[in-house]
Amino acid sequence: MTKAPKPSSKPTPGTGKKNKARRTALVVLGMHRSGTSALAGVLNLMGCDMPSTQMAPTDANKKGYFESAPIYAMHTKLLNSAGSRWDDWLAINDGWYKSIRADEYHEQAVDLLQSEFGKSRLFALKDPRICRLVPFGTRCSLTVMLYHAMC
């Protein structure tokens, strides 16, 4: 496996600006029991960093979930705050995304990404709840594949 080149600190041609180190999160989207753990495991084998505090394997998933325990907990609380749950089929009220509570969760999400992935330039983020939280992820400026860590 070859390593990706390090970001250059030289000016980008024609701009006079230094290249900013880019962080990319590959977000595994899929609901529970749909193969997301297997995909996250493959991404790990291919060189993506995984969260520092992973959920422990269980009898239902002996090879592991490849999910951050603190991000799981935050997503669960966020959904509860929005009057929803992971298995709710109704959309989250759009007004919630503009609330003070959403702002608080935004700050927590940025902090958690930093604590779970540090300065990693390429990491995999997996939590089935993200399927319910796509608007939150895009609002958090964690872009591209829904989340792009700019923190």
Side-chain angles (χ1 to χ4, degrees), residues 1 34 36-37 43 92-93 96 98 116 145:
M1 180 183 294
S34 65
T36 56
S37 295
L43 291 173
I92 294 172
N93 181 331
W96 183 86
K98 298 172 188 156
E116 287 297 290
M145 284 244 167

Side-chain angles (χ1 to χ4, degrees), residues 27-40:
V27 179
V28 178
L29 289 178
M31 288 310 290
H32 299 75
R33 309 307 305 159
S34 65
T36 56
S37 295
L39 177 56

Side-chain angles (χ1 to χ4, degrees), residues 85-137:
R85 314 167 14 116
W86 71 269
D87 59 352
D88 190 352
W89 58 274
L90 295 173
I92 294 172
N93 181 331
D94 283 338
W96 183 86
Y97 293 109
K98 298 172 188 156
S99 71
I100 292 172
R101 190 68 61 212
D103 291 340
E104 292 170 356
Y105 280 105
H106 167 259
E107 291 172 15
Q108 285 181 38
V110 171
D111 291 345
L112 278 174
L113 284 172
Q114 182 61 39
S115 68
E116 287 297 290
F117 299 101
K119 295 185 183 285
S120 173
R121 299 281 178 241
L122 178 64
F123 59 93
L125 178 62
K126 182 242 175 196
D127 178 358
R129 288 150 205 81
I130 294 172
C131 287
R132 306 261 312 123
L133 300 170
V134 170
F136 179 76

Side-chain angles (χ1 to χ4, degrees), residues 52-63:
S52 61
T53 314
Q54 291 187 40
M55 295 173 69
T58 64
D59 287 339
N61 203 337
K62 294 181 183 193
K63 291 188 178 182

